[in-house]
Amino acid sequence: AGGGSDPDYASVSFLGHFNGTDTSTTFVDNSSYAATVVVFGNMQLDTAQQKFGSASVLGDGTGDYCTVPGGSQFNFGTGSFSVEFWVRFNATTEKCIYDISAGSMTFYIRPSDGLVTPGLIAAGGSTPFNTGQWYFMAVIKNGTAVTVYRDGSSYLSGTAGGSYGSAVNALFIGATALGNNSVNGWIDDFRITKGVVRSSTVPTSQFPDN
């Protein structure tokens, strides 16, 4: 279980603590939707690395990712939302952390030079990401303003127009909707909240699941 309680828990679209036994391919959606998570490639839980809890999810960069079926929880329309996660890279090449809306919300990070491509706004950023280090990332859309935070500090910002998501769009974690650019590293405590502008403060414990 997560620490404390979350007053916006009912608005959480997906919550992945990624806890469990080593090498397990059973991933749990800890949100109220309790969606079935489908795993592809060699993506698995790894107890050797975790930010919180007992494990994190590990991809080797070659076709490893997981998906959550589409639903109203990913239909953001023109509203606000927050995407938060921890990531630890094992390589410095550009990789996709998540994809929603089959392309319009594809989030890439290129650790070698710090380039971040959120999909919603123009790419930017110039501070490299080291391998072997956990980073807390948050993508927060407040109205049309989108800010990408890195370890609690604003890293990239811009203005997003249009509508994002529909009831048929799925969530992909660790690769694009085509299964490309899969992550070589670890992801932990991944949370999406619809209609809520979360704080950019770096969490000191696992996200609450109630």
Side-chain angles (χ1 to χ4, degrees):
S5 61
D6 177 10
D8 294 308
Y9 178 74
S11 298
V12 173
S13 302
F14 175 81
L15 176 58
H17 294 316
F18 300 127
N19 293 330
T21 57
D22 197 39
T23 72
S24 172
T25 56
T26 299
F27 301 170
V28 176
D29 175 10
N30 298 100
S31 78
S32 60
Y33 290 94
T36 299
V37 182
V38 181
V39 178
F40 294 86
N42 299 317
M43 183 168 261
Q44 58 189 268
L45 297 183
D46 182 19
T47 57
Q49 293 292 341
Q50 70 284 131
K51 185 60 188 181
F52 302 118
S54 61
S56 62
V57 65
L58 170 65
D60 63 13
T62 54
D64 299 350
Y65 62 100
C66 63
T67 67
V68 180
S72 60
Q73 69 268 41
F74 302 124
N75 180 2
F76 304 119
T78 58
S80 301
F81 58 81
S82 303
V83 182
E84 307 155 280
F85 58 89
W86 291 88
V87 63
R88 179 186 175 104
F89 292 102
N90 202 33
T92 60
T93 52
E94 183 175 70
K95 296 298 182 181
C96 176
I97 309 297
Y98 66 85
D99 189 359
I100 313 171
S101 304
S104 64
M105 291 175 61
T106 309
F107 188 94
Y108 294 90
I109 295 178
R110 191 164 67 203
S112 60
D113 60 6
L115 182 72
V116 172
T117 307
L120 296 167
I121 57 176
S126 58
T127 305
F129 291 75
N130 298 322
T131 57
Q133 177 178 340
W134 283 104
Y135 294 92
F136 178 67
M137 303 297 297
V139 182
I140 298 176
K141 182 174 182 284
N142 185 357
T144 59
V146 178
T147 306
V148 178
Y149 294 90
R150 170 174 151 158
D151 289 337
S153 298
S154 176
Y155 189 70
L156 181 64
S157 60
T159 301
S163 178
Y164 297 92
S166 74
V168 299
N169 288 320
L171 166 66
F172 292 75
I173 299 175
T176 70
L178 299 176
N180 300 327
N181 294 99
S182 57
V183 166
N184 188 339
W186 298 263
I187 297 172
D188 203 7
D189 231 25
F190 188 107
R191 181 173 71 177
I192 299 176
T193 315
K194 177 181 175 181
V196 175
V197 177
R198 294 285 193 180
S199 167
S200 60
T201 302
V202 179
T204 57
S205 61
Q206 187 172 267
F207 290 134
D209 50 15
N210 58 69

